[in-house]
Amino acid sequence: MAHGTLPVSQEVMESVRDKIRRGLLPQWAFSDPGIYQAELEKIFYKTWQFLGHTSEIPKSGDFVTRWMVHDPVLLLRDTNGEIQAYLNSCSHRGAPVCIEDCGNRKTFTCPYHGWTYDSKGELIGIVAGNKVYGQEMDRSQWALRKIPRIASYHGMIFGCMDPDAPSLEEFLGDLKWYLDILLARTDGGMEVRGVPHRWIIPTNWKISSDNFGGDPYHTAMTHRSAVELGIAPQDPLFASYGHQVVLDHGHGVNMITAAPGLKMPPYQGLPESLWPMFERNLTAEQRAVFKNLVVSVGTCFPNLSWVSPMHGTGGPGSPLTTFVNFRVWRPLAADKIEVWSWVMVDKDAPEEFKQESYLSYIGSFGPAGTLEQDDCEIWTRVVEHSRGYMAQNKDISYNNVLNYLMGLDRVQPVTDWPGPGVAYPTCYLDAISRSFYERWAEMLLA
Amino acid sequence: MSTVSATNVTYGDVVRLLFQEAACLDRRDLDGWLAMLADDVVYRMPLRITKDPRTGSDIVEGMTFFEETKVSLRTRVERLKTTSAWAEMPPTRTRHFISNILVDDGPEPDTLAVTSSFLVLRSRRDSEAVEQVFGERQDVWRKSDEGWKLVRRTIYPDQTTLTVLNLSMFI
């Protein structure tokens, strides 16, 4: 397998990058297996990947098993309380040292030959060790392999395969300002409820990443059933109000507000007991944006997305409750992803709110969510219908490019946005999508 | 055929009840299905995880795929009846295979505790893929003047990672 080699010439890829700047994307980006292989090496092994939240492993010995695309990861809190991430594959013959999803352990014994490791990754036990390997084998050479980089930001733990990658904080860049509004607004920070939802969707990772990152426009049609039901507003522009903010490194966020004149509770209806904490933990500029926020939805390039909407589950007129949902679109193939979806809530929130927030999430997102159901189905249809000759034709002509033209040269950034990034005065805009795919093309070209 | 003591119902009666319910779902008679649910129904589907069995249950009760009341289930059904619930427009085809039915006295008078295995197969559009979800259901059914009503259903999937792309159907 030609890992990392592009299935198109450098010249064609450069023209793809130039086209996406002008709002055109070749449809083969969604389904070409060669592009997928190149993405693994040039994008996924170079960027920070979300692994889990500190609240999932609060105590020494707590562990979860995760995946960085195709690399198995054992993420744990060691005996010193430090977070560690190892390749979950025995240094002896490669079997996983742990196949449980989560738990608490002091040691991990490989079931193949019995090599045992401690929470520092050290090889501390070998069956019949001295008799078969003698004193000469240096056990310290055969520790669990560490994930090259690991770092966390407000409880969000990331790993990176590239030892030379910029730091996590550098990678997140201006996105931190917007993440803080979700993750760092209350004194105690966020906690994950239960375990993540996991399910398989036969689609391409970019479709879901770009949908959350740059596509509030889809809500009017994809989620029209909510309009028909009277849960979502009739106004087809309802998800356009607010600002789309293009951030560096391919990240993007939509800070959606209510339609002009429509009164919504401040701070997404979060309990008033938390408001003094917003004063303490957020800047005046962040609070100014947060106060009018209805939905925060975006993507941290390449494949970590979030949505924090206000949603009701009881039908028309039922109260709207907000939640914070992060998800990783783990690519399994060009046409297959595994979704990992975590719901989080402020630790300091009243128990009653935590329960309402969870119910709001279950009703709208996750595989049974009334909004998510339709997204998954349509993303699947896109990939199924992008495999043919016309879609795969690598001549970048108008016959096989898709339309990312919305707002190009037409919508100008605002000058008075209080946050970082380039903010546009509408969320029905392909500015983030163009930036996302430009970053994608640049990384493939690198 | 033996009867369950408290309710004087035969095993065959219970089997017929579950098959009637499955038929409602597979024939898309969702109003008929709702009518089989008690107004105070609690309908849940917790997550399954892989873990060391010595450290407790592999069911995570605190996180679910479904955490429903009659009101929220009715909202789901009403949504599916719109013209734009794309997951089911055009409708998928499902087949609910219900088996391994065990019947016992329920926790309250006039109730039955019914455990069953389920295998739901689904076909979408012209896709060659056969989607499936399977596991166990633990029900409580209550006798009422309008027949038996489902009071509680807990659905335990056998998969930790669902291979259905969504749960736009009921189990």
Side-chain angles (χ1 to χ4, degrees):
Chain A
M1 195 179 298
H3 243 238
T5 309
L6 286 172
V8 292
S9 68
Q10 186 86 0
E11 207 177 8
V12 166
M13 201 62 216
E14 281 168 6
S15 77
V16 168
R17 181 195 55 203
D18 297 341
K19 288 272 186 190
I20 189 59
R21 286 175 179 156
R22 300 304 304 159
L24 303 171
L25 180 74
Q27 196 167 354
W28 49 257
F30 295 155
S31 50
D32 188 295
I35 284 287
Y36 174 74
Q37 289 302 328
E39 287 169 346
L40 294 184
E41 181 138 330
K42 289 168 171 282
I43 297 176
F44 287 96
Y45 303 153
K46 299 281 182 190
T47 48
W48 287 88
Q49 293 287 310
F50 180 64
L51 292 174
H53 191 266
T54 49
S55 65
E56 295 182 275
I57 45 172
K59 300 186 300 291
S60 282
D62 286 350
F63 70 86
V64 291
T65 51
R66 296 284 145 91
W67 291 91
M68 285 173 73
V69 190
H70 296 302
D71 287 272
V73 176
L74 175 60
L75 179 70
L76 58 77
R77 200 177 282 271
D78 70 19
T79 46
N80 293 349
E82 301 289 324
I83 289 169
Q84 307 284 359
Y86 307 105
L87 188 69
N88 185 10
S89 180
C90 183
S91 303
H92 178 223
R93 293 291 159 82
V97 298
C98 180
I99 57 158
E100 296 155 51
D101 293 331
C102 54
N104 184 288
R105 285 184 177 279
K106 288 191 176 66
T107 59
F108 296 87
T109 298
C110 177
Y112 199 1
H113 301 88
W115 285 30
T116 296
Y117 305 87
D118 66 13
S119 68
K120 306 275 193 195
E122 298 299 333
L123 177 60
I124 57 165
I126 301 180
V127 174
N130 288 341
K131 291 200 178 72
V132 289
Y133 293 102
Q135 295 290 353
E136 62 272 28
M137 191 179 81
D138 179 1
R139 293 183 181 197
S140 70
Q141 297 297 307
W142 298 97
L144 283 178
R145 288 160 282 184
K146 284 195 171 190
I147 302 303
R149 304 280 293 282
I150 179 168
S152 65
Y153 185 75
H154 289 303
M156 305 282 284
I157 308 164
F158 292 76
C160 182
M161 291 294 171
D162 180 7
D164 302 319
S167 71
L168 174 63
E169 296 228 3
E170 239 178 291
F171 167 78
L172 295 174
D174 289 339
L175 177 58
K176 289 186 293 180
W177 195 90
Y178 299 91
L179 288 179
D180 289 352
I181 294 174
L182 297 171
L183 300 170
R185 60 199 181 193
T186 46
D187 297 351
M190 304 300 280
E191 63 187 13
V192 168
R193 173 155 177 151
V195 297
H197 281 136
R198 296 170 62 181
W199 75 104
I200 305 290
I201 310 178
T203 192
N204 181 270
W205 66 272
K206 296 188 290 301
I207 294 172
S208 44
S209 275
D210 176 41
N211 174 278
F212 271 60
D215 190 11
Y217 180 51
H218 84 285
T219 48
M221 188 62 188
T222 304
H223 304 306
R224 202 179 74 191
S225 64
V227 180
E228 284 191 56
L229 264 187
I231 293 175
Q234 291 283 338
D235 176 6
L237 291 171
F238 73 89
S240 74
Y241 303 109
H243 293 80
Q244 179 166 102
V245 187
V246 177
L247 299 164
D248 39 15
H249 309 143
H251 313 318
V253 58
N254 301 274
M255 301 298 272
I256 302 174
T257 56
L262 186 67
K263 187 102 177 96
M264 292 292 274
Y267 301 118
Q268 299 183 292
L270 283 161
E272 281 190 50
S273 61
L274 302 178
W275 296 5
M277 297 186 192
F278 305 159
E279 298 268 335
R280 283 200 285 278
N281 297 299
L282 300 175
T283 65
E285 289 80 12
Q286 285 170 316
R287 287 199 307 276
V289 170
F290 186 25
K291 194 163 189 178
N292 297 319
L293 184 70
V294 175
V295 184
S296 168
V297 59
T299 289
C300 172
F301 186 90
N303 65 329
L304 171 67
S305 296
W306 71 90
V307 60
S308 177
M310 295 170 70
H311 188 81
T313 52
S318 73
L320 305 179
T321 310
T322 190
F323 56 84
V324 175
N325 170 218
F326 278 88
R327 62 255 315 281
V328 167
W329 317 106
R330 177 193 168 206
L332 297 176
D335 56 1
K336 193 156 126 180
I337 63 171
E338 178 188 355
V339 189
W340 287 68
S341 176
W342 293 258
V343 66
M344 301 179 189
V345 71
D346 301 84
K347 264 184 213 165
D348 296 310
E351 287 306 315
E352 193 185 341
F353 174 81
K354 290 182 182 179
Q355 182 68 11
E356 285 303 311
S357 179
Y358 153 71
L359 291 174
S360 174
Y361 163 71
I362 296 296
S364 55
F365 283 86
T370 51
L371 298 178
E372 187 110 35
Q373 287 176 20
D374 296 332
D375 285 326
C376 298
E377 168 63 20
I378 289 177
W379 298 340
T380 300
R381 293 183 195 176
V382 174
V383 167
E384 280 178 25
H385 296 80
S386 299
R387 291 186 180 126
Y389 175 74
M390 285 178 68
Q392 293 294 315
N393 186 342
K394 299 296 190 295
D395 292 330
I396 312 298
S397 71
Y398 282 88
N399 288 329
N400 69 346
V401 289
L402 300 175
N403 181 318
Y404 291 78
L405 288 165
M406 193 162 36
L408 182 68
D409 300 333
R410 197 174 158 270
V411 178
Q412 299 305 318
V414 297
T415 52
D416 58 349
W417 179 248
V422 181
Y424 295 86
T426 175
C427 297
Y428 283 4
L429 187 69
D430 288 334
I432 288 177
S433 298
R434 289 190 290 269
S435 162
F436 174 88
Y437 282 108
E438 186 179 344
R439 180 71 179 159
W440 166 81
E442 276 170 359
M443 290 196 82
L444 289 182
L445 280 165
Chain B
M1 188 171 292
S2 66
T3 57
V4 178
S5 57
T7 51
N8 213 21
V9 67
T10 68
Y11 183 77
D13 292 336
V14 177
V15 171
R16 195 174 305 113
L17 182 68
L18 294 191
F19 286 2
Q20 279 166 347
E21 188 210 352
C24 282
L25 292 171
D26 291 339
R27 293 171 185 168
R28 301 188 72 79
D29 175 15
L30 296 178
D31 287 326
W33 180 67
L34 282 176
M36 297 182 79
L37 312 183
D39 288 343
D40 57 343
V41 67
V42 176
Y43 181 97
R44 311 181 70 239
M45 183 172 175
L47 267 63
R48 178 89 68 176
I49 56 170
T50 304
K51 66 177 288 193
D52 185 335
R54 293 167 296 185
T55 62
S57 167
D58 64 352
I59 298 294
V60 180
E61 293 286 353
M63 182 52 63
T64 59
F65 293 107
F66 285 112
E67 184 83 81
E68 307 299 314
T69 62
K70 184 86 177 257
V71 171
S72 69
L73 287 170
R74 187 177 296 284
T75 301
R76 287 175 179 276
V77 168
E78 292 302 322
R79 196 189 82 83
L80 294 176
K81 285 154 70 178
T82 66
T83 64
S84 53
W86 306 117
E88 294 291 338
M89 179 55 77
T92 63
R93 279 86 52 185
T94 63
R95 205 54 61 182
H96 286 67
F97 297 91
I98 306 300
S99 72
N100 306 43
I101 300 164
L102 295 171
V103 185
D104 218 327
D105 288 331
E108 292 112 32
D110 288 332
T111 63
L112 290 173
V114 182
T115 303
S116 58
S117 298
F118 68 90
L119 167 64
V120 179
L121 300 183
R122 182 167 74 172
S123 175
R124 295 167 24 257
R125 300 178 270 109
D126 62 346
S127 169
E128 77 278 15
V130 177
E131 290 189 295
Q132 54 182 333
V133 58
F134 50 91
E136 179 173 312
R137 305 186 306 186
Q138 294 182 3
D139 295 351
V140 175
W141 291 81
R142 184 168 59 210
K143 197 176 187 177
S144 78
D145 294 342
E146 295 92 44
W148 289 91
K149 301 285 182 188
L150 182 66
V151 187
R152 187 173 182 88
R153 170 163 294 161
T154 311
I155 303 153
Y156 296 110
D158 286 335
Q159 291 165 299
T160 64
T161 305
L162 295 188
T163 51
V164 286
L165 68 92
N166 59 25
L167 287 167
S168 56
M169 69 296 214
F170 302 101
I171 295 168

